[in-house]
Amino acid sequence: MTDFASRLTLAARTTGPLCVGIDPHPGRVPALFGGDTPEGLARWGEAIISLVAGRACVIKPQVGLFERLGPDGMRALQRVCQAGKAAGLIVIADAKRGDIGSTAEGYAQAYLGRDAPFACDAVTVNPYMGMDTLDPFLTAAEANGKGVVVLARTSNPGAADFQTRDMGGAPLYARVVEALQPAIARLEGASGWSSLMLVAGATGPDEARALRKLAPSCLFLVPGYGAQGSGAGDALAGFVRRGNHLEGGVVNASRSVNFPSGAAEARDLAEWQTTITSAIESAQADLTALSGLAEPARS
């Protein structure tokens, strides 16, 4: 069983650093898939996955946008996770869980357990209730070759409310990463990268560089690229040079590849597929050009 970090690093070297978010915002799933219904979400997500395969290595379903539709919405999420794994993609569930004791254990088993109903390769977690909230996720990740993606410096404007506040000469996000050092070392794998991943938003490139100094073995999950306004240079600010290329994580694009210009007006499935494929390939080409990796072959 290979560790999560080694799988992700190898996959990103092969296809490039793009991670495709699957974010079914209300009212935006096209009618040709069934619209804003559980079945529509599942079919739409599966259709995106079929276009991601061979063009990117990671998908990131946004759990809350499935959960809003109740039990059937969560069954749609389950289908999307299963489709991603069947397509050979790495699946990161963006759930941002964070709780204590047996509740955290329940969340960990739901996403990272051996028989997890929402089986994925990694899950995002919120560390701001303390290190004990992360222990069940770390244990499940260690046992099952999975990853834990910890919020450090997020991409939203409100991140500045708390994450960059001075805490005795360093910002709060830096103090969090300092506290994570034993867990980072605990999940370091054969590749030299840790399966404890950090969220490092593209909207804070200077903070990403600071995080890289604090956590040289952590892979980064980078939101904020594309629709949130950050370009490839900012998105890759925390990556490091390995030979002739940059590596150190994946860069997420959601709205820019889920709902690009022309997708909503597509008259049929073929036209929609062409539009989405173009958006995925454009984002990947943008990132690979700067990272130094060869673009993935077009299928």
Side-chain angles (χ1 to χ4, degrees), residues 33-35 37-44 46 72 76 79:
F33 296 105
T37 65
E39 181 63 21
L41 269 57
R43 291 177 57 206
W44 174 78
E46 290 165 346
D72 288 339
R79 280 175 55 179

Side-chain angles (χ1 to χ4, degrees), residues 128-167:
Y128 288 96
M129 282 181 67
M131 289 300 300
D132 59 333
T133 67
L134 303 183
D135 285 339
F137 295 95
L138 299 173
T139 298
E142 196 171 34
N144 299 314
K146 302 297 181 73
V148 181
V149 187
V150 181
L151 304 183
R153 175 61 167 91
T154 58
S155 61
N156 58 304
D161 293 344
F162 303 116
Q163 294 169 23
T164 59
R165 290 286 185 93
D166 183 84
M167 297 288 289

Side-chain angles (χ1 to χ4, degrees), residues 110-220:
Y111 292 96
L112 304 180
R114 190 173 302 277
D115 299 310
F118 308 106
C120 57
D121 295 280
V123 64
T124 58
V125 297
N126 188 331
Y128 288 96
M129 282 181 67
M131 289 300 300
D132 59 333
T133 67
L134 303 183
D135 285 339
F137 295 95
L138 299 173
T139 298
E142 196 171 34
N144 299 314
K146 302 297 181 73
V148 181
V149 187
V150 181
L151 304 183
R153 175 61 167 91
T154 58
S155 61
N156 58 304
D161 293 344
F162 303 116
Q163 294 169 23
T164 59
R165 290 286 185 93
D166 183 84
M167 297 288 289
L172 177 57
Y173 72 81
R175 297 301 189 200
V176 169
V177 175
E178 288 172 2
L180 288 171
Q181 294 301 318
I184 293 168
R186 175 180 170 184
L187 293 189
E188 281 183 6
S191 65
W193 293 106
S194 177
S195 291
L196 190 152
M197 201 172 191
L198 297 175
V199 171
T203 52
D206 290 338
E207 287 91 344
R209 296 183 188 99
L211 283 170
R212 176 53 64 207
K213 292 179 181 178
L214 289 168
S217 67
C218 277
L219 296 168
F220 289 175

Side-chain angles (χ1 to χ4, degrees), residues 46-56 272-274 276-277 280 299:
E46 290 165 346
I48 289 178
I49 287 166
S50 71
L51 301 177
V52 172
R55 297 183 174 92
W272 178 87
Q273 289 174 325
T274 298
I276 300 300
T277 297
I280 293 170
S299 58

Side-chain angles (χ1 to χ4, degrees), residues 68-89:
R68 66 187 174 85
L69 294 183
D72 288 339
M74 293 303 284
R75 279 187 276 273
L77 171 67
Q78 187 177 53
R79 280 175 55 179
V80 166
C81 292
Q82 291 170 343
K85 296 303 296 175
L89 299 172

Side-chain angles (χ1 to χ4, degrees), residues 220-245:
F220 289 175
L221 172 62
V222 183
Y225 167 75
Q228 290 189 49
S230 295
D234 287 344
L236 296 170
F239 283 41
V240 294
R241 186 155 296 280
R242 292 284 189 266
N244 63 353
H245 69 278

